[in-house]
Amino acid sequence: MVRIDRVSSMINNSRYISRDISWLKFNERVLDQAHSGNRTIFERLKFLSITDSNLDEFLMIRVGSLYNYIDYNRERVDYSGLREVPFKRRLFAELQRFHTEQHELYKQELKPYFEENDFQICKLDGLSSEEHAQVEQYFKKTIYPMITPMVFDSYHTFPILMNRLLIFGVTTKNPGDKKKHRKLSFIQIPQNLPRFYEVEREEVIIFVPIEEIIRKYIAKFFRNVEILSVNLFRITRNGDFTLEESDEIDTNFLEEIKRKLKTRKTGRVVRIEIEEGYDKWMLNLLKKRWELEEENIFEISEDSLIDFSSLMQIVFHNEFRDRLPVQPSFVPPLSYPDHDLSESIFDVLKNKDILLHHPYNSIEPLLGLLEQAAEDPLVLAIKITIYRLADDSRVTAALLKAAENGKNVSVLFEVKARFDEENNIREAQKLQKAGCFVIYGISSFKTHTKLMLIVRKEGAKVTRYVHMSSGNYNENTARLYTDLSLLTTNEIYAHDVSEFFNVITGHSNPEAYKNLITAPGSMREQLIDLIRQEAENARQGLPSGMVIKVNSLEDRQTIDELYEASQAGVPIKLVVRGICCLRPEREGLSENIMVKSIVGDFLEHARLYYFHQAGKPKVYGGSADMMVRSFDRRLESLFLVLDKNIRKEAMNILLYNLRDNVNSYVLKEDGHYEKVQPDEGEEPFNLHREFYKVRQHDIHEVKLFEEELQQAQALD
């Protein structure tokens, strides 16, 4: 108890919130969506599924990284001040608590509503004799030929068990042998089989978990031996490569990445999910082999389910597609309200900048620009950075067409985009074979910036068309993620983006950018300068204020500057979707800082930075969060919004984020999040619906700091 109290005290007294504990709080907010009785059962299952996918990635990357330090005896001190092992214990206690909440939610709040929504998840004992016959045929014809049992004994080496697959551990012995002569075999359920076998009845669809079918007929794999126990489990392996990445990573770069992909199959085990009633002998053998402790074992009751991510098979089943909310139709961009499909996007951009706010505005103007550029004989070159692409990507297709048409196409492809590496390597090689100039990353830096440059000869002059964004060149996620993208021919932007491409594709040290802030390099320092300017204005009695919207806030240097600005009297409003290591509302440290997170129908992905500047605000948008990796280990960019109307629109986006009282959670000083509820008599304000309604007149007088702006006007 003394040790637990000491650990809790260290965590609570720290100036910072643990990055990993903060991430778990984010996943709790996602799980809260599954608790919501205002959503359909299919939406709630979707959010539960997302939490499990999130948790898998967290264990593979963040917990995997922690084990890198532990396994290789390297020192790691968490933001809370805890060393590796004490922090691991605290982290796994939180993981176990979250695991319990997930499964209680599934059993108590979701399962009771399955039947009234025309489906069930049930075992074989709920089937008729005719349905049993169908299942038996499915086993004989499909499952049985695919499965290969693997025995482990003194004659057979321990098999490679795959990450995140359902696995049966079966203990057997020969008839007449003593129990101590038992053997352990493994059956891995192939990942290309659907998780559920579907039995359609007139008014209901029965989803039978595939493991129940295999369990029923498992004796067919172990003939003439005695089965002592059958245990279903699933393992999660370390998928973090941090210790392997070095300054020499560009040597034989692609082969290195391919080799790393293979290690995901054999990385150290960090978690075992296992059904209750397991064979202790088997589990002890696995724990010893993988050097695991009791905290790494996550037990699951027989009335629950291992791997909630598989519920997506039900959520997106053809029979239930109409049970999910219909996404509203796109609305025209405020900066391009009279969208005329017959007008060339090139002609439009020569006269005005266009801000697209996804998913409320369609990505079509951007795709149309790229596809027109691929065919337009006046276009000379296309340069683009790519982090993640959609399947059957129109972006790839347009770039291939451009190369076929003899245009100079340069693509900086990030082949280390986590879990998209194989697809990115394949797409990059396809472009390279077509004659595109492809750069596979820059040394040890990840390319996370989203920039495109199209060079077009128009009579005696050359016009450069620029796209800068917070989101990926991915038409699928553009319907699910909130992002900002700016299309422009402004020569100041064009100069900066051209310089940036010269730096990343060649050997060039740029002159100072006029409207871009880039990383690695000076992004942290320039943002800190802007924060310090606000603090100095506050000390001088001038109006001040900051509103910053990011996915994550983790960089200590930036956090310390925000603390200093708060102490100087600057009002600071932060909208941080996920990780937030800043501790708000602490006396003497951060009383003037408010932090909220928005989690709802769309994934908040846009980054916006607003600095009051004594009534002459600066607003930046772009790809970068306030994280060490963003500042030091990634190619990132933020662009200054120049156009007055577009700046107002960006400010309105921040304002709507602050006004939201439906999807919002406020971070308290002790690290927990409190759900925002409309006050009595206050109308609900759901930003994921309100952005479909916003019109030009709504942003005309937008103000983020009413009192301060009035003071600034008086000073003028």
Side-chain angles (χ1 to χ4, degrees):
M1 176 65 73
V2 173
R3 187 173 70 182
I4 293 173
D5 289 344
R6 184 179 66 82
V7 167
S8 296
S9 177
M10 287 184 69
I11 290 172
N12 294 333
N13 290 332
S14 173
R15 286 163 54 95
Y16 313 102
I17 296 171
S18 162
R19 168 179 172 162
D20 294 325
I21 300 298
S22 180
W23 182 90
L24 282 174
K25 296 297 182 186
F26 160 68
N27 215 27
E28 287 178 8
R29 299 193 291 281
V30 180
L31 189 64
D32 190 51
Q33 306 301 307
H35 280 289
S36 174
N38 295 325
R39 296 188 178 279
T40 69
I41 191 68
F42 300 99
E43 289 180 278
R44 297 172 74 183
L45 287 172
K46 180 187 75 172
F47 280 106
L48 176 60
S49 171
I50 290 170
T51 66
D52 232 25
S53 296
N54 287 347
L55 198 58
D56 281 351
E57 182 174 341
F58 178 78
L59 282 148
M60 290 170 63
I61 304 304
R62 293 301 303 169
V63 176
S65 174
L66 178 59
Y67 270 102
N68 282 341
Y69 287 92
I70 293 170
D71 292 344
Y72 294 101
N73 295 315
R74 291 185 58 178
E75 181 177 332
R76 177 189 186 272
V77 180
D78 183 69
Y79 275 21
S80 60
L82 293 176
R83 291 288 301 271
E84 314 85 52
V85 174
F87 180 72
K88 175 176 71 76
R89 293 194 190 104
R90 175 59 181 251
L91 184 61
F92 270 93
E94 293 288 333
L95 287 166
Q96 289 282 359
R97 181 188 56 76
F98 183 78
H99 166 85
T100 299
E101 184 180 352
Q102 279 182 304
H103 288 269
E104 290 303 308
L105 166 68
Y106 175 77
K107 292 184 293 184
Q108 297 177 13
E109 297 185 38
L110 301 183
K111 276 184 77 172
Y113 296 98
F114 288 177
E115 190 167 2
E116 68 184 60
N117 283 279
D118 306 325
F119 73 94
Q120 290 180 311
I121 298 176
C122 66
K123 299 182 180 180
L124 295 174
D125 54 12
L127 302 183
S128 67
S129 56
E130 183 181 339
E131 290 164 346
H132 266 288
Q134 293 174 21
V135 168
E136 185 174 10
Q137 282 301 304
Y138 180 63
F139 175 79
K140 287 179 178 178
K141 300 285 175 123
T142 303
I143 299 175
Y144 183 76
M146 293 180 68
I147 285 179
T148 304
M150 300 172 290
V151 67
F152 169 59
D153 58 18
S154 55
Y155 301 103
H156 299 83
T157 59
F158 195 89
I160 295 176
L161 300 182
M162 302 298 284
N163 188 32
R164 297 190 296 171
L165 288 188
L166 293 175
I167 304 168
F168 278 109
V170 183
T171 57
T172 59
K173 71 179 185 70
N174 291 319
D177 283 355
K178 294 182 179 179
K179 193 174 182 180
K180 67 179 182 179
H181 293 141
R182 59 195 157 187
K183 296 184 179 182
L184 178 59
S185 297
F186 299 99
I187 289 178
Q188 299 194 95
I189 301 178
Q191 62 183 354
N192 56 348
L193 285 174
R195 174 62 186 279
F196 300 104
Y197 178 76
E198 300 173 12
V199 177
E200 295 195 20
R201 296 177 181 170
E202 275 192 27
E203 297 181 350
V204 69
I205 298 177
I206 306 296
F207 293 94
V208 181
I210 191 170
E211 62 267 26
E212 298 305 326
I213 300 174
I214 295 171
R215 197 194 310 266
K216 167 75 173 177
Y217 299 105
I218 205 161
K220 294 187 179 296
F221 299 102
F222 301 96
R223 300 181 188 276
N224 303 315
V225 296
E226 183 180 348
I227 295 177
L228 300 177
S229 69
V230 177
N231 312 271
L232 183 69
F233 67 95
R234 180 177 182 261
I235 62 173
T236 311
R237 292 184 178 273
N238 179 3
D240 183 68
F241 305 142
T242 305
L243 296 181
E244 296 179 354
E245 294 178 356
S246 69
D247 291 337
E248 299 177 352
I249 197 166
D250 54 341
T251 305
N252 206 8
F253 189 80
L254 281 182
E255 292 306 313
E256 178 74 4
I257 293 296
K258 290 176 182 176
R259 182 184 68 78
K260 287 181 178 182
L261 291 178
K262 293 177 183 176
T263 69
R264 284 218 175 112
K265 300 174 183 177
T266 57
R268 80 107 71 219
V269 174
V270 299
R271 174 182 65 169
I272 300 177
E273 299 165 272
I274 190 166
E275 284 184 331
E276 64 182 359
Y278 52 80
D279 183 326
K280 292 183 180 178
W281 172 80
M282 182 205 76
L283 184 60
N284 286 336
L285 186 153
L286 296 180
K287 286 167 65 178
K288 183 177 180 181
R289 180 166 194 89
W290 291 325
E291 300 179 41
L292 298 176
E293 301 173 65
E294 198 59 35
E295 64 193 8
N296 300 93
I297 312 305
F298 290 73
E299 193 171 332
I300 294 164
S301 63
E302 64 175 12
D303 56 344
S304 192
L305 198 67
I306 297 181
D307 184 16
F308 290 132
S309 67
S310 62
L311 292 169
M312 288 298 193
Q313 181 181 340
I314 298 172
V315 172
F316 293 111
H317 193 280
N318 286 334
E319 286 294 320
F320 307 128
R321 284 188 179 275
D322 61 346
R323 313 285 184 93
L324 290 170
V326 177
Q327 188 168 336
S329 300
F330 294 121
V331 295
L334 290 183
S335 51
Y336 191 16
D338 304 318
H339 184 189
D340 181 357
L341 292 176
S342 65
E343 189 176 11
S344 167
I345 188 72
F346 290 116
D347 293 335
V348 174
L349 289 175
K350 278 186 284 190
N351 297 311
K352 65 188 323 182
D353 292 352
I354 297 174
L355 183 73
L356 301 177
H357 187 199
H358 311 300
Y360 316 104
N361 305 146
S362 171
I363 196 175
E364 199 59 40
L366 170 62
L367 296 174
L369 175 65
L370 188 55
E371 289 169 344
Q372 284 184 44
E375 300 281 5
D376 190 331
L378 299 180
V379 168
L380 305 176
I382 300 173
K383 300 182 181 184
I384 190 171
T385 62
I386 292 178
Y387 190 68
R388 298 189 197 275
L389 287 170
D391 295 333
D392 300 319
S393 168
R394 286 172 63 184
V395 172
T396 301
L399 295 173
L400 288 170
K401 177 61 71 174
E404 289 171 12
N405 288 336
K407 303 182 190 311
N408 188 325
V409 179
S410 302
V411 184
L412 178 54
F413 229 120
E414 182 46 72
V415 293
K416 290 183 293 175
R418 187 175 294 158
F419 305 119
D420 275 352
E421 298 96 335
E422 293 181 54
N423 180 60
N424 281 7
I425 290 172
R426 184 173 57 251
E427 293 297 292
Q429 289 177 337
K430 190 188 302 181
L431 291 169
Q432 194 169 31
K433 288 176 183 176
C436 301
F437 175 45
V438 177
I439 305 102
Y440 294 100
I442 303 297
S443 185
S444 59
F445 301 116
K446 271 193 178 181
T447 303
H448 191 251
T449 184
K450 284 79 178 179
L451 297 173
M452 182 175 71
L453 180 71
I454 295 171
V455 181
R456 188 171 188 253
K457 184 170 176 55
E458 299 172 349
K461 63 177 282 192
V462 170
T463 303
R464 292 178 288 187
Y465 296 81
V466 173
H467 175 254
M468 302 172 289
S469 179
S470 66
N472 300 307
Y473 290 101
N474 185 319
E475 54 266 38
N476 293 339
T477 57
R479 292 190 63 88
L480 304 171
Y481 294 9
T482 71
D483 271 308
L484 295 169
S485 64
L486 181 66
L487 290 161
T488 180
T489 56
N490 185 305
E491 268 299 302
I492 300 175
Y493 290 130
H495 170 271
D496 282 357
V497 173
S498 293
E499 280 286 297
F500 189 71
F501 274 108
N502 289 340
V503 170
I504 61 180
T505 61
H507 184 229
S508 172
N509 291 312
E511 301 172 357
Y513 298 113
K514 294 181 180 178
N515 286 310
L516 276 188
I517 300 177
T518 64
S522 62
M523 181 176 287
R524 178 190 284 112
E525 289 71 21
Q526 289 192 60
L527 289 175
I528 285 175
D529 282 345
L530 288 162
I531 294 169
R532 287 176 176 172
Q533 286 174 32
E534 295 301 319
E536 184 57 29
N537 284 344
R539 293 188 191 99
Q540 297 294 328
L542 297 173
S544 63
M546 283 177 270
V547 184
I548 297 172
K549 180 183 186 303
V550 288
N551 293 344
S552 300
L553 171 55
E554 170 260 356
D555 181 68
R556 274 195 238 206
Q557 292 182 50
T558 314
I559 291 172
D560 287 343
E561 293 294 338
L562 290 169
Y563 286 155
E564 290 289 332
S566 170
Q567 292 164 42
V570 180
I572 302 170
K573 302 173 184 180
L574 305 176
V575 183
V576 186
R577 185 195 79 219
I579 298 162
C580 182
C581 298
L582 179 147
R583 193 181 291 278
E585 301 177 359
R586 173 164 285 185
E587 186 177 351
L589 181 70
S590 54
E591 295 104 322
N592 291 315
I593 303 179
M594 182 278 293
V595 179
K596 73 185 302 190
S597 170
I598 293 177
V599 179
D601 291 336
F602 302 133
L603 185 141
E604 290 293 331
H605 196 250
R607 288 88 164 181
L608 274 173
Y609 296 77
Y610 167 92
F611 301 95
H612 193 294
Q613 296 277 295
K616 297 177 181 178
K618 285 186 175 181
V619 180
Y620 289 86
S623 63
D625 291 311
M626 301 178 92
M627 302 186 75
V628 173
R629 73 182 186 192
S630 297
F631 295 150
D632 298 336
R633 298 197 293 273
R634 288 186 168 190
L635 293 178
E636 301 274 17
S637 63
L638 297 172
F639 57 89
L640 178 64
V641 178
L642 298 177
D643 182 273
K644 182 180 178 181
N645 287 327
I646 288 179
R647 184 166 60 244
K648 285 184 177 180
E649 185 178 351
M651 289 169 61
N652 191 66
I653 290 169
L654 291 172
L655 180 64
Y656 275 31
N657 274 262
L658 296 174
R659 287 181 62 187
D660 178 89
N661 57 17
V662 173
N663 310 286
S664 296
Y665 301 78
V666 173
L667 175 60
K668 310 308 290 183
E669 189 268 345
D670 63 1
H672 87 276
Y673 284 79
E674 194 173 276
K675 183 80 166 68
V676 174
Q677 302 289 349
D679 293 334
E680 187 175 346
E682 183 183 15
E683 289 292 320
F685 190 90
N686 182 345
L687 85 167
H688 291 155
R689 292 292 168 261
E690 294 297 329
F691 277 123
Y692 286 105
K693 305 174 187 176
V694 67
R695 297 295 180 265
Q696 191 68 42
H697 62 81
D698 295 317
I699 69 170
H700 183 63
E701 296 294 333
V702 61
K703 295 180 179 66
L704 292 172
F705 294 95
E706 179 77 33
E707 181 181 341
E708 291 81 4
L709 283 176
Q710 288 175 355
Q711 292 173 7
Q713 290 164 1
L715 287 171
D716 287 344

